[in-house]
């Protein structure tokens, strides 16, 4: 009979946030698969535990994953931990869970620290419906494409962000959603310098342009208000493209602009425009 894979969330800053149940599972599992054993050893020392550890991270997903699966299939149990927070959430684990699911190996997820949930709860923005967007791409073009797809998103949006990318991301968020859109910047949650800055995209972009960001951030951005949503048919969008073409826009730029403003799909609009000889 195969063993169980336990997904064990670990503190995102405050070691006191490890739950008794998580500590028990770490103590009882046959071995621990860690994103970085040098990070996890600190937690184990804090708990007074000594355990065999293997690494499972984004660069050894295939070999590391198969090795963990083989041990599970032979009957051992494994606790998967990452550097901080919940495994499989913008962290290694997703593929290992899929591998186990395919092999019918039991997977048990323990509840515990997760930066996105902590940030959402403290943001002061609507929590009823939200969308987690993970990390935005490093590449500006891909980042903008991602954000443009969210122009009409009415749910609260959450992004993970690294401090060295924050200024550029805030500038892109302001340009895409407008300077008045509300944002909560949740920094260093559960740590000594924890801070929640509730402001607007315009003010946040200005502030961080001159005050270099430090620490870990979750950005919680207000969704579009329903009145901003414009229901435009493909035919109406085509008329807007034609008007922009007359103003001298290239076809590509006109389609991009109209798609962004109306929510009509870029590819659909481009094909229609070519078909109509715009
Ligand atoms: N799996 C983790 C979780 O459940 O939250 C997320 C891991 S992801 C690689 C790391 C990102 O989470 C950071 O870049 C930051 O956006 C966010 N994060 C982690 N700890 C944080 C904290 N204490 N305060 C604010 N954001 C944090």
């Amino acid at each position: 009979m195969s063993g169980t894979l336990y997904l064990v969330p670990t503190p995102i800053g405050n070691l006191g946030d490890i739950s008794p149940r998580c500590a028990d599972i770490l103590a009882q599992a046959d071995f621990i698969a860690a994103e970085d054993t040098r990070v996890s050893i600190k937690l184990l020392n804090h708990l007074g535990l000594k355990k065999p550890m293997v690494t499972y991270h984004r660069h050894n997903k295939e070999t590391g994953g198969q090795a963990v699966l083989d041990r599970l299939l032979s009957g051992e149990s494994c606790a998967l931990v990452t550097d901080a927070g919940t495994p499989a959430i913008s962290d290694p684990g997703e593929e290992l869970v899929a591998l186990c699911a395919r092999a019918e190996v039991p997977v048990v997820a323990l509840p515990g620290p997760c930066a996105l949930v902590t940030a959402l709860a403290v943001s002061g923005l609507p929590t009823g419906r939200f969308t987690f967007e993970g990390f935005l791409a490093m590449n500006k073009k891909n980042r903008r494409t991602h954000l443009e797809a969210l122009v009409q998103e009415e749910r609260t949006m959450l992004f993970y962000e690294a401090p060295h990318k924050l200024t550029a991301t805030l500038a892109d968020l302001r340009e895409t959603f407008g300077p008045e859109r509300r944002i909560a910047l949740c920094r260093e949650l559960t740590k000594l310098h924890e801070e929640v800055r509730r402001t607007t995209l315009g003010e946040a972009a200005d502030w961080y342009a001159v005050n270099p960001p430090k620490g870990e951030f979750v950005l919680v951005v207000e969704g579009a208000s329903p009145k901003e949503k414009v229901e435009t048919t493909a035919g109406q969008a085509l008329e807007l493209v034609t008007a922009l073409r007359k103003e001298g826009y290239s076809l590509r730029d006109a389609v991009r602009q109209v798609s962004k403003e109306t929510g009509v799909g870029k590819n659909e609009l481009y094909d229609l425009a070519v078909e109509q000889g715009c």
Side-chain angles (χ1 to χ4, degrees), residues 9-14 35 58 82-92 112-119 132 134-135 159-163 185-191 194-195 215-219:
T10 56
I12 57 170
N14 187 328
E35 182 178 10
R58 65 190 83 249
T82 58
D83 290 351
T86 300
I89 304 300
S90 287
D91 256 350
C114 182
L116 83 97
V117 176
T118 312
F132 173 54
F135 286 97
F159 302 89
Y160 280 165
E161 196 47 285
L185 297 107
C186 304
R187 186 173 82 87
E188 296 286 89
L189 293 167
T190 78
K191 299 184 194 175
E194 170 164 351
E195 176 189 49
E216 298 196 273
F217 285 83
V218 181
L219 309 180

